[in-house]
Amino acid sequence: NGKKAREEGSQKKDRGKTAPNKDQKESENKEKRTTKRGKEGENKQKKGRKNSTSSASSNSSDEESLSEEELAMLKDQVEQKKKLISTMRNKPWRMVKKLSALREAQDFVEKFEGALGKGKGKKLYAYKMMMAKKWVKFKRDFENFKTQCIPWEMKIKEVESHFGSSVASYFIFLRWMYGVNLVLFGLIFGLVIIPEVLMGMPYGSLPRKTVPRAEQATAMDFSVLWDFEGYIKYSALFYGYYNNQRTIGWLKYRLPMAYFMVGISVFGYSLMVVIRSMARNANESTADGDDNNFIFSWKMFTSWDYLIGNPETADNKFASITTSFKESIVDEQESNKDENIHLRRFLRVLANVLIICCLCGSGYLIYFVVKRSQTFSKMQNVGWYERNEVEIVMSLLGMFCPPLFETIAALENYHPRIGLKWQLGRIFALFLGNLYTFLLALMDDVNEKLAEEDVVKNITHWTLLGHHNSSAANDSAVTPAPLDPADVPRGPCWETTVGIEFVRLTVSDILVTYITILVGDFIRACFVRFVNYCWCWDLEAGFPSYAEFDISGNVLGLVFNQGMIWMGSFYAPGLVGINVLRLLTSMYFQCWAVMSSNVPHARVFKASKSNNFYMGLLLLILFLSLLPVAYTIMSLPPSFDCGPFSGKKRMYDVIQETIELDFPLFVAKIFSYLANPGLIIPAILLMVLTIYYLNAVSKAYQRANAELKKKMQMQREEEKSKRNNKASTNPMLQDLEDLLTPSTKSESPPKQAEDKKTESPNGSSPARKPGRGEGLAGSPMAGGRGAAFTAPSPVFVAQPRTLGARAPYPGQPRPWGHPLGPVPGRGRGQPCYPRAAR
Amino acid sequence: MGNNKLNEPTRLSLCLRLFHRYRDLAPQLVPLDYSDKPAVTLPYELISSMPELKDNPFRQRIAEVFSEHGDGNMTLDDFLDMFSVLSEMAPRDLKAYYAFKIYDFNNDDYICKSDLAKTVNKLTRNELTPEEVSLVCEKVIYEADVDNDGKLSLADFQHMIVRAPDFLSTFHIRI
């Protein structure tokens, strides 16, 4: 007791803090503490957990005369103590024990670490140690700083505690998207918009940067601005504003080149980030092989979420656990029934056929309607319906097809999680139809504008010429006043049109989403809550009740929205900025909406495994949005009077130009060699072969993995059977058994006792309470194993080893009468001898 | 294995937070100055009234497992122990060990059928019929019992729980 008090005293002194000493926990991870040397003697007398403190005797011998082997031994002990310190938190001991053991180990390390260095470069050793520790501390501080920078952590935790991890996963996805968009915005803003605004020509100096005379009257009207015409159209938000000057400003910033490269790197960065995220998710998901082996066990022991701190959520959780158990029970009973596999397969095929028919039908409908709208646009006097037919049809399809898919999917009888994935995939396919019409309409527009452009180009050319001539005729000596930029006839600038379309789409999508949330969730919740008092049926329990948070719908919306952004950002650099704002406000708005108007899900939706599914969708959309942009860059000529590429034949000519003019000569040669098809095709071939090879390697690893699992399984079974002695694993012995003992069961405790006896020297001493960690040395794992080995032994060790004069168990026929001496075992005669002795 | 996601200042602040939570349960009993190691124990009723625990069906078992004498009354050390094991930093094996003790209602170091039945009933608030409960318990024993003694030992339990994908995320209390 005295020792303990002194120790506490030293502990208090050492810390030098006035705060109460409950920060004992944190000391567990400190590897170096200042300690008074005088205490060591006392501390050493405490029994350590792992090593005996025989080192205490060498207390006085830490002088220069340490022999080599003593040095090595000391080093060993120091390492062991260090290991003990680092694994201290894994040990299931009581806090007090942990603390005393920790202090003892730390003191030992402290004392002798320095001693190790004595005699040979002690100072250097101590210095190295100190630097290593400083480095570790620095890394920890940096990690901590990084985690503190993560925004919205508390908000998401709040949502998680009320709604569970599946809803929170949507918000985590949203936050991730926000991060990606922020980086993209930084790229575009910093490398394209800012240089043009700061160093390029100001508004009004060039035709492309000025609102045409005809439109100037209405350029500031709100309705015009809302449609992104007027002043907004001729601003840095859109492609058309940018000048095609090769270098701008005193920095000689190559804007067209920058514009092109930023456009490409937007896709490159997004691709890299998505794939890295997918790879990380794939690494984190644990072995799928044991998925079906522990359904009930996992349900029982891991379904209660200890994070729940709210009675309503707890109620919901109880209900969902009950439902989940009932479902599994039904599944279990059903799987015991004879299921008709053929019927199920037939139904599934039928369902898929029906759904494919639906999708094709809707695809054809969309195509038909688009074609009709093209003929309508040529007619005059079109009614409101004809003008908006495409949008109406698309909205109707979007409203009615998903529930239709769900009803058809009832035929398939899948597990709900799998069914949900199918549903998501089908809705995704449906929305692709949306995308297709949109792009088609856009392409038509673009082609029209290209045709128009040729006409306008001529007009502009002749106008300028005419103006020049007329002014020259008036006054030949003075240079002609340039035509006011607002008066120059302007080309149609298809790129800006495309950009405007995407921005309009994004904005209308934002509005629709917010209004849906407001009406569908909030107003509905208000209605249910307040009108419930004076309504005939219970609004809360029946229809309409509170809305559940539609995770999959929201995630799909987010994914498609991002696809639009990727497609449109090349033609409207400001689009990413709009999206960043949108994601920011979405986060706050949706968090509020979820907390105020939604109820937790009735059905358990395991979020962790679906994350890669969403990433997969995102990847698909990324590729789909890359295609139109790549196509337009490669094959459409840029407008002649707007944008950074105006005047070129193709947009990618800017690269050619830069290489020729800005790089030394040999670089151009290198690039021309690299662009040679003779080099590119073999490179592609090589990449294909590499993919094939890596695929084969990964398959081989999977097979090896499966083999190992099977081996482990077999070992487990063998252990099971060996321990229980149920069936002999040796067929020969089995035959012998059958021959000699027609009816005797092989349950024989003495054999078990023998097994235990041979194994117990390996394990720890048979503890009466194998569960308590303190009884055994080592981790709970070893303790557990020891328990498994030694637990039955208290029952059996007491029994004599001779089989002879004992009836082992009631109900078991008395085995072989003849005493075989000290050989228990099955008593079936000599052949057993070597086996029993094993 | 590298579960130290917090550095010292953060862990220190976590400890301070925990101490103040402990103290807030009974300010008149818990002194501010712990340097003379007062032997203060808070009764189970106070612990189970904490918002993090009051909705948990296993709160009584949790308190019993971490308390010094197994009666649910906890000292500060026990309190820290409890939240340390239930935090996200605790290693998987440690959590599995304590989870086993929590679900072992009769403290015989095995999870037997009666323990399982109690667990199921606590989880479903007695809404399953006895036959269903019995079926569930049998299935669990069938799935997880490796040494075929009709009950789950610590090894069986650990073997089963370390494969569970949700164990770490559900056996976790944030404070």
Side-chain angles (χ1 to χ4, degrees), chain A residues 20 24 89-90 92 140-141 144 157 160 290 296-298 300 306 310 315 318 606 720 724 781 791, chain B residues 7-8 10 32 37 55 91 94 97 103 110 120 123 125 143 146 148 158 160 163 166 170 174:
Chain A
Q24 301 154 0
R89 34 183 46 245
N90 291 11
R140 277 201 298 216
D141 286 342
N144 188 51
K157 280 183 189 171
E160 184 179 39
D290 281 348
F296 278 92
S297 316
W298 289 347
M300 186 174 298
Y306 281 54
N310 174 1
D315 283 339
F318 282 122
K606 297 243 167 69
K720 241 197 220 185
N724 295 328
M781 279 302 243
Chain B
N7 78 339
E8 283 162 37
T10 315
L32 259 176
K37 294 265 178 191
D55 293 304
L94 191 63
Y97 176 76
Y103 294 121
Y110 288 99
V120 173
L123 279 174
R125 287 203 289 209
E143 285 171 356
V146 172
N148 262 353
Q158 274 176 329
M160 175 268 294
R163 285 174 173 65
D166 299 329
T170 54
R174 221 187 291 270

Side-chain angles (χ1 to χ4, degrees), chain A residues 118-396:
Chain A
K118 270 203 177 86
K120 295 188 180 163
K122 149 190 152 196
K123 282 213 179 77
L124 185 64
Y125 185 76
Y127 178 72
K128 272 201 294 190
M129 285 281 109
M130 190 188 71
M131 288 317 285
K133 280 167 195 173
K134 277 212 164 62
W135 173 244
V136 167
K137 183 169 192 320
F138 172 73
K139 273 203 295 196
R140 277 201 298 216
D141 286 342
F142 186 63
E143 282 299 324
N144 188 51
F145 173 69
K146 276 208 296 189
T147 42
Q148 271 183 353
C149 281
I150 299 179
W152 302 313
E153 189 70 13
M154 293 281 51
K155 219 183 249 299
I156 295 185
K157 280 183 189 171
E158 203 188 343
V159 171
E160 184 179 39
S161 74
H162 279 114
F163 291 88
S165 56
S166 48
V167 172
S169 78
Y170 165 74
F171 287 98
I172 293 176
F173 188 53
L174 181 61
R175 185 175 63 185
W176 181 83
M177 293 288 262
Y178 174 73
V180 173
N181 275 285
L182 209 55
V183 172
L184 294 180
F185 176 68
L187 265 179
I188 294 183
F189 193 68
L191 294 177
V192 172
I193 299 186
I194 291 283
E196 179 70 22
V197 163
L198 288 182
M199 296 192 288
M201 315 278 277
Y203 172 83
S205 55
L206 291 174
R208 67 186 62 183
K209 298 195 184 215
T210 327
V211 179
R213 185 75 59 187
E215 293 174 22
Q216 271 183 359
T218 56
M220 264 313 251
D221 289 352
F222 181 73
S223 58
V224 166
L225 285 180
W226 185 255
D227 271 344
F228 292 96
E229 303 274 342
Y231 281 115
I232 290 195
K233 179 170 173 183
Y234 298 97
S235 72
L237 244 51
F238 292 105
Y239 175 98
Y241 183 81
Y242 295 85
N243 199 5
N244 67 339
Q245 219 175 336
R246 208 175 78 83
T247 68
I248 53 176
W250 54 272
L251 269 180
K252 299 262 184 286
Y253 191 76
R254 278 107 170 98
L255 188 77
M257 180 67 176
Y259 195 97
F260 190 80
M261 292 311 288
V262 163
I264 299 214
S265 57
V266 157
F267 286 103
Y269 175 76
S270 310
L271 187 66
M272 192 191 72
V273 144
V274 169
I275 294 209
R276 191 174 63 176
S277 175
M278 283 181 84
R280 211 180 290 152
N281 280 347
N283 269 345
E284 274 174 11
S285 58
T286 47
D288 276 316
D290 281 348
D291 221 8
N292 297 327
N293 289 2
F294 294 114
I295 297 181
F296 278 92
S297 316
W298 289 347
K299 263 202 220 298
M300 186 174 298
F301 294 116
T302 65
S303 57
W304 181 261
D305 193 349
Y306 281 54
L307 276 168
I308 292 177
N310 174 1
E312 220 176 84
T313 319
D315 283 339
N316 274 316
K317 193 68 178 175
F318 282 122
S320 83
I321 291 180
T322 311
T323 317
S324 163
F325 268 118
K326 289 205 169 135
E327 278 175 17
S328 296
I329 291 175
V330 165
D331 274 349
E332 176 69 23
Q333 287 166 342
E334 219 175 276
S335 72
N336 291 338
K337 283 191 259 177
D338 275 323
E339 56 152 272
N340 195 344
I341 262 208
H342 299 290
L343 181 65
R344 182 174 284 204
R345 273 204 203 130
F346 169 72
L347 284 176
R348 284 190 185 160
V349 167
L350 179 66
N352 276 319
V353 162
L354 282 175
I355 290 189
I356 291 184
C357 287
C358 283
L359 283 173
C360 290
S362 67
Y364 179 71
L365 184 62
I366 292 174
Y367 171 75
F368 175 71
V369 161
V370 166
K371 268 251 151 359
R372 248 174 37 144
S373 80
Q374 284 172 345
T375 55
F376 279 152
S377 63
K378 303 219 171 44
M379 287 171 16
Q380 306 292 65
N381 283 347
V382 283
W384 175 85
Y385 171 74
E386 280 84 1
R387 259 206 309 261
N388 293 313
E389 191 180 27
V390 179
E391 276 92 15
I392 292 178
V393 166
M394 306 279 269
S395 323
L396 284 177

Side-chain angles (χ1 to χ4, degrees), chain A residues 8 12 17 19-26 29-30 89-96 98 140-141 144 157 160 286 290 293-311 314-315 318 321-322 325-326 329 332-333 606 608-609 712 716 720 723-724 726 769-773 780-781 784-785 787-788 791, chain B residues 4 7-8 10-12 15-16 18-19 32 34-35 37 51-52 54-58 62 65-67 76-78 80-81 84 86 91 94 97-98 101 103 109-111 116 119-120 122-125 127-128 132 135-136 139-140 143-148 152 154 157-161 163-167 169-174:
Chain A
E8 312 322 345
K12 183 173 163 206
K17 297 190 183 86
N21 288 348
K22 69 296 158 262
D23 47 8
Q24 301 154 0
K25 247 178 34 153
E26 51 111 17
N29 249 4
K30 277 196 184 158
R89 34 183 46 245
N90 291 11
K91 304 213 190 298
W93 301 331
R94 287 277 165 219
M95 192 63 82
V96 186
K98 275 198 219 182
R140 277 201 298 216
D141 286 342
N144 188 51
K157 280 183 189 171
E160 184 179 39
T286 47
D290 281 348
N293 289 2
F294 294 114
I295 297 181
F296 278 92
S297 316
W298 289 347
K299 263 202 220 298
M300 186 174 298
F301 294 116
T302 65
S303 57
W304 181 261
D305 193 349
Y306 281 54
L307 276 168
I308 292 177
N310 174 1
D315 283 339
F318 282 122
I321 291 180
T322 311
F325 268 118
K326 289 205 169 135
I329 291 175
E332 176 69 23
Q333 287 166 342
K606 297 243 167 69
S608 53
K609 294 215 181 119
M712 274 173 30
R716 212 201 316 174
K720 241 197 220 185
R723 238 177 284 167
N724 295 328
K726 273 200 182 347
K769 292 203 289 182
R772 299 293 299 183
M781 279 302 243
R785 259 201 298 282
Chain B
N4 311 323
N7 78 339
E8 283 162 37
T10 315
R11 190 168 286 122
L12 181 57
C15 289
L16 273 169
L18 280 170
F19 173 72
L32 259 176
Y34 250 70
S35 45
K37 294 265 178 191
E52 287 85 357
K54 70 172 165 46
D55 293 304
N56 195 322
F58 301 109
I62 297 175
V65 162
F66 285 101
S67 65
L76 179 62
D77 276 344
D78 302 331
L80 290 176
D81 228 352
S84 142
L86 287 166
L94 191 63
Y97 176 76
Y98 278 104
K101 301 187 69 145
Y103 294 121
D109 299 313
Y110 288 99
I111 296 183
L116 291 173
T119 310
V120 173
K122 275 207 179 334
L123 279 174
T124 59
R125 287 203 289 209
E127 283 197 22
L128 293 183
E132 290 173 333
L135 174 67
V136 169
K139 275 300 287 183
V140 172
E143 285 171 356
D145 188 14
V146 172
D147 51 11
N148 262 353
L152 301 185
L154 178 61
F157 183 78
Q158 274 176 329
H159 176 256
M160 175 268 294
I161 210 81
R163 285 174 173 65
D166 299 329
F167 176 59
S169 56
T170 54
F171 196 69
H172 166 207
I173 293 187
R174 221 187 291 270

Side-chain angles (χ1 to χ4, degrees), chain B residues 25-99:
Chain B
L25 292 174
Q28 66 280 17
L29 288 178
V30 179
L32 259 176
D33 183 9
Y34 250 70
S35 45
D36 51 353
K37 294 265 178 191
V40 175
T41 310
L42 291 187
Y44 164 69
E45 290 70 29
L46 284 177
I47 307 280
S48 73
S49 68
M50 289 181 69
E52 287 85 357
L53 287 177
K54 70 172 165 46
D55 293 304
N56 195 322
F58 301 109
R59 58 188 178 277
Q60 176 146 19
R61 279 303 299 162
I62 297 175
E64 283 172 11
V65 162
F66 285 101
S67 65
E68 232 175 279
H69 305 291
D71 54 1
N73 305 326
M74 301 177 74
T75 66
L76 179 62
D77 276 344
D78 302 331
F79 190 78
L80 290 176
D81 228 352
M82 173 168 76
F83 281 106
S84 142
V85 168
L86 287 166
S87 78
E88 57 190 350
M89 304 182 297
R92 190 190 277 263
D93 292 337
L94 191 63
K95 283 194 192 237
Y97 176 76
Y98 278 104

